Amino acid sequence: MNKYIQVVTTFEKYEEAKKVAEQLVAARLTACVQIVPNCHSVYRWQGKVESAHEIVCTMKSRLDLFPRLCEAITSMHSYEVPEIVATEIIDASPEYLNWLDRELLPQQDD
């Protein structure tokens, strides 16, 4: 059975988020990217507490695609250390999971 994931990353600028999202969907590494502007992040970076306005992207994919998705995000991202966090989708409607399977790259048999 396929394992499905949601992957979250953030960007400094909306245009970068949109460009990366479009490329990831076109490559079929993710079926959908939700782009949510106006997130305020507080974080520790290089020993100091920082804060920034960011754009949050939530992507729907499959666990077997995560290494390729992570590599693609990293190669296009402007951050030195981008947030790329995957969480497993425990359950979803069968129709939604079928849609994910149709829109993502086919799963490779090991």
Side-chain angles (χ1 to χ4, degrees):
M1 186 168 128
N2 291 332
K3 289 192 176 185
Y4 302 94
I5 57 174
Q6 276 196 154
V7 177
V8 175
T9 192
T10 56
F11 293 91
E12 181 180 7
K13 301 202 180 304
Y14 178 83
E15 286 307 316
E16 180 185 11
K18 185 173 181 281
K19 179 181 176 185
V20 171
E22 289 170 349
Q23 290 182 22
L24 295 173
V25 171
R28 299 181 74 182
L29 294 174
T30 182
C32 169
V33 179
Q34 296 165 314
I35 302 172
V36 182
N38 300 325
C39 169
H40 188 85
S41 296
V42 178
Y43 53 93
R44 181 174 292 282
W45 178 248
Q46 297 180 343
K48 296 189 322 190
V49 175
E50 302 280 345
S51 121
H53 290 284
E54 294 183 297
I55 291 81
V56 176
C57 291
T58 304
M59 306 165 210
K60 311 316 187 281
S61 191
R62 258 190 347 261
L63 185 57
D64 63 292
L65 295 173
F66 183 71
R68 290 172 66 183
L69 179 57
C70 189
E71 183 179 324
I73 293 167
T74 301
S75 73
M76 293 184 274
H77 211 293
S78 63
Y79 286 176
E80 184 179 337
V81 181
E83 170 188 13
I84 307 172
V85 177
T87 54
E88 187 175 354
I89 297 173
I90 301 302
D91 205 358
S93 72
E95 296 83 7
Y96 186 76
L97 297 179
N98 287 336
W99 173 77
L100 281 178
D101 282 331
R102 286 192 308 271
E103 299 307 320
L104 294 167
L105 289 172
Q107 187 163 3
Q108 300 295 312
D109 294 327
D110 293 328

